[in-house]
Amino acid sequence: MPASALTDRVDAAVATGAEALFARRRADGAFVFGARRTSPLNTAGAVIALHFADPRGSAEAIERGVAWLCRNQRDDGGWAMPGVPTEPLATAVAAAALKLTATGPGPTGPGPTGPGHTGAHPTGTAPDRAAAVPAALARLTALGGAEGLPEPAMAALCRQLHALAGLPYQGAPRRLPLELLLLPGLSRRLLSLRLPIFAAQALAQAEHRRRGPVGRALDRLARPRALAVVRGAYEREGATGGFSTDPWLTALICLGLARSGRAPDLTAAAARWLRGAAGPDGSWDLMPLDVTWTNFATAALLEAGHAADPRLAATRAMLRAHQQKEPFDAFGCPPGFWGFSSPRSWPMALETAEACSLLFRLPGGADDGHARDGIAWLTATQDSAGTWSLCVRDSKPGGFGPCPQMTAKAVGALLDSGAPPGDARVARALRRLAAVQRPDGSYEALWYRGGTAGTAAVLEALTRAGTTDAHRRAARRATDWLLRTRRDDGSWGAGDGGGPGTVEDTAWALRGLLAAGLPPDRPAPAAAAHRLLEAQRADGGWPPSPVHEYIRGCARYADEGIATGLALRALAHYRTAARAQEGS
């Protein structure tokens, strides 16, 4: 296809894609994607939590959740979100939920009777449950068992839940040292976002595990600190009973509090929140992503030339309103950050960096005080090595620790704020990024599977701000990795040679290569643009793939809003580069 013809097609796709995004804009300026993202993992977790927290008052919600799990068990015996291969974590937790609820009432009250219970069992309860649990356990074994999970905390959780349910499990349940909370700084760095969950679960364990005199004394000292962590997060979020607007996190905290017998008011509030979050079919969704969706959509629309579009005025106001002006004491976080959903969700460096960049790039953004406050937050939370972790400075490496992709996004926000490439914060970050590049030239992204997302993001940061030979070598190696992992059809996938190409990976790679200076008429960018054009739906959006990590290595999901935002932004960047090349 001639280059000009391809550019014309891209131009049309950008126009229809932009309107598809604007059609998802709410009156308050947020971009939201209404299709439910029903989660077997969240449904099973909520059922277990309600079984322990309030079996009488939650009887109908429990039975409806159980019925949904039974109806949606796959032919292979397992569970996962739509489009995702069967996952051991969801399968293990669902098996525990079905077994626990089959044994009758929870420990704090009688079974499914009382106010709100109809007395009738929905389709798929007791008889289906009897067959579902053995099938789930067989599938879990075939998948390598819970012990095969790459996240040790999730393997330990599965052991705990299976022990509670009387199901077989490998290894001994792990002791959660409640006394760790007596060292606030260390516990934050080791646990990060898991801190309130750990506090609740350790409280429960302390009530049921026998310890010697020293251990009991430490537990007595640590209980007030654990309760303060959970209560502080509860009150910080407006005392709704939900934690980070996430059914999974709320379920784990509710379960721990219920089993501990401590803070019954928090247990009751969390149970009420979970009941209110249940869908009409009895299931629970993933957490909402209002800020995340808005960030992706707005970034794409800015790239497509809509910076002055009056429809984005409300979006700027929405982003400002969602910035959190109070510290989050549980994590030792200063004010000025964004979460992924509500104005009270938990702090996220990735969303904070992206929101800052957007506010700076909107008209008049150079003087935006909210963006400046966000930059101050990023500056205060930069790791001592130069990277960024999710929310706690110098977090332990792993699921919430230093992330190359988040670091690259933070570098982009600093540059958008007017910081020069030689800025000390930028220089430290790039120095560390050059040092942590994988031997094959790729980079990790903790919230996306594979190497494409991280490699493309870091490549853009290195190209924008790299000033040394080490930076240039790292950029060349990242470029070579992207070119080497391109699939035969011109798309990109995870970069490991397996699985199909995806819209998300292809968009990341296209933008990264263009940012690195690869001409748009070269085979790789041109083929990537063609693949994105072919994938665009009639409504102007793009189909998602399960590239997003909900729990790293254990639970994934697909997201239409992110896929559409990424594809539109990449094609708009391609159009700009192609028009510039045509005019040169």
Side-chain angles (χ1 to χ4, degrees):
M1 178 184 300
S4 59
L6 178 59
T7 307
D8 289 342
R9 286 189 63 196
V10 169
D11 197 44
V14 168
T16 56
E19 291 309 313
L21 282 179
F22 274 124
R24 301 297 191 127
R25 187 179 61 90
R26 223 168 38 197
D28 66 353
F31 289 81
V32 293
F33 292 79
R36 289 193 62 196
R37 300 175 304 149
T38 306
S39 167
L41 177 64
N42 287 7
T43 300
V47 165
I48 292 171
L50 292 175
H51 172 76
F52 280 93
D54 185 13
R56 183 186 295 273
S58 305
E60 186 169 2
I62 291 169
E63 286 300 302
R64 287 170 59 80
V66 165
W68 187 91
L69 287 170
C70 290
R71 288 195 307 271
N72 288 275
Q73 187 174 25
R74 295 180 174 180
D75 290 342
D76 65 6
W79 287 266
M81 290 191 67
V84 181
T86 297
E87 293 176 329
L89 178 60
T91 302
V93 178
L98 296 178
K99 183 65 163 58
L100 277 165
T101 55
T103 59
T108 59
T113 60
H117 182 62
T118 64
H121 292 283
T123 301
T125 53
D128 302 298
R129 217 175 327 194
V133 174
L137 294 178
R139 184 58 183 160
L140 182 61
T141 299
L143 292 170
E147 294 307 304
L149 290 169
E151 175 53 62
M154 291 299 103
L157 174 66
C158 290
R159 285 196 298 271
Q160 172 197 338
L161 296 179
H162 282 210
L164 290 174
L167 292 172
Y169 58 92
Q170 295 180 341
R174 189 175 75 178
R175 187 178 86 81
L176 303 177
L178 188 64
E179 62 271 19
L180 177 61
L181 300 179
L182 296 172
L183 303 170
L186 178 61
S187 61
R188 287 171 182 149
R189 291 192 298 274
L190 291 177
L191 299 169
S192 185
L193 206 68
R194 294 194 187 100
L195 182 62
I197 303 168
F198 178 94
Q201 294 287 331
L203 279 169
Q205 199 179 81
E207 297 296 324
H208 298 280
R209 184 186 292 273
R210 297 182 63 181
R211 300 192 71 187
V214 174
R216 291 196 298 272
L218 288 173
D219 286 347
R220 283 194 298 272
L221 289 172
R223 277 193 188 98
R225 169 62 186 164
L227 288 168
V229 165
V230 179
R231 190 172 292 279
Y234 166 79
E235 293 174 351
R236 173 66 176 67
E237 294 184 67
T240 64
F243 290 88
S244 200
T245 63
D246 188 336
W248 175 245
L249 296 185
T250 303
L252 294 181
I253 292 171
C254 182
L255 171 62
L257 292 175
R259 294 190 62 241
S260 77
R262 309 274 171 171
D265 59 324
L266 300 190
T267 303
R272 282 196 302 271
W273 188 92
L274 285 171
R275 288 195 297 270
D281 61 355
S283 66
W284 277 263
D285 289 353
L286 290 183
M287 68 289 180
L289 295 173
D290 289 17
V291 173
T292 305
W293 288 322
T294 300
N295 283 348
F296 275 87
T298 307
L301 291 168
L302 291 178
E303 194 81 55
H306 288 274
D309 195 306
R311 290 174 289 184
L312 290 182
T315 298
R316 174 163 51 191
M318 173 265 176
L319 286 174
R320 288 171 168 171
H322 277 64
Q323 186 178 33
Q324 303 192 40
K325 296 293 190 175
E326 300 173 1
F328 206 121
D329 292 333
F331 303 114
C333 279
F337 60 86
W338 278 265
F340 53 73
S341 57
S342 74
R344 293 184 179 273
S345 57
W346 293 4
M348 302 281 162
L350 187 55
E351 274 72 13
T352 300
E354 291 172 336
C356 287
S357 287
L358 296 175
L359 291 174
F360 281 126
R361 293 170 58 209
L362 284 162
D367 300 319
D368 194 296
H370 291 77
R372 294 289 169 192
D373 289 345
I375 291 295
W377 187 87
L378 289 170
T379 300
T381 57
Q382 186 175 21
D383 295 333
S384 56
T387 48
W388 272 269
S389 300
L390 184 64
C391 65
V392 176
R393 185 173 186 268
D394 291 331
S395 289
K396 173 187 176 184
F400 304 121
C403 172
Q405 189 235 9
M406 282 195 291
T407 300
K409 291 289 186 178
V411 166
L414 290 169
L415 297 173
D416 289 335
S417 77
D423 181 274
R425 298 162 296 180
V426 173
R428 288 171 55 219
L430 294 190
R431 184 165 55 249
R432 186 59 181 166
L433 287 174
V436 299
Q437 189 172 31
R438 291 166 169 167
D440 63 1
S442 67
Y443 284 93
E444 185 178 25
L446 294 179
W447 293 103
Y448 304 102
R449 66 99 178 89
T452 306
T455 305
V458 174
L459 176 56
E460 183 173 353
L462 289 168
T463 303
R464 286 186 69 184
T467 58
T468 70
D469 288 342
H471 299 157
R472 287 185 280 272
R473 284 194 299 270
R476 283 195 299 271
R477 295 178 65 225
T479 301
D480 290 344
W481 185 88
L482 286 173
L483 293 173
R484 192 169 63 247
T485 56
R486 182 166 69 105
R487 299 175 57 81
D488 291 342
D489 64 1
S491 68
W492 271 264
D496 56 8
T502 72
V503 165
E504 295 89 343
D505 289 302
T506 303
W508 277 316
L510 174 56
R511 181 170 171 80
L513 292 173
L514 292 173
L518 204 67
D521 60 355
R522 291 282 296 274
H530 180 76
R531 295 302 304 172
L532 292 176
L533 291 172
E534 293 299 309
Q536 189 176 26
R537 299 186 310 229
D539 66 0
W542 276 266
S545 297
V547 303
H548 310 285
E549 300 276 13
Y550 181 47
I551 300 172
R552 181 152 180 81
C554 301
R556 289 188 181 141
Y557 66 99
D559 193 281
E560 177 189 355
I562 297 176
T564 297
L566 286 170
L568 177 59
R569 191 180 188 199
L571 285 176
H573 194 162
Y574 179 89
R575 180 182 66 177
T576 299
R579 294 299 189 205
Q581 187 178 51
E582 291 169 6
S584 62

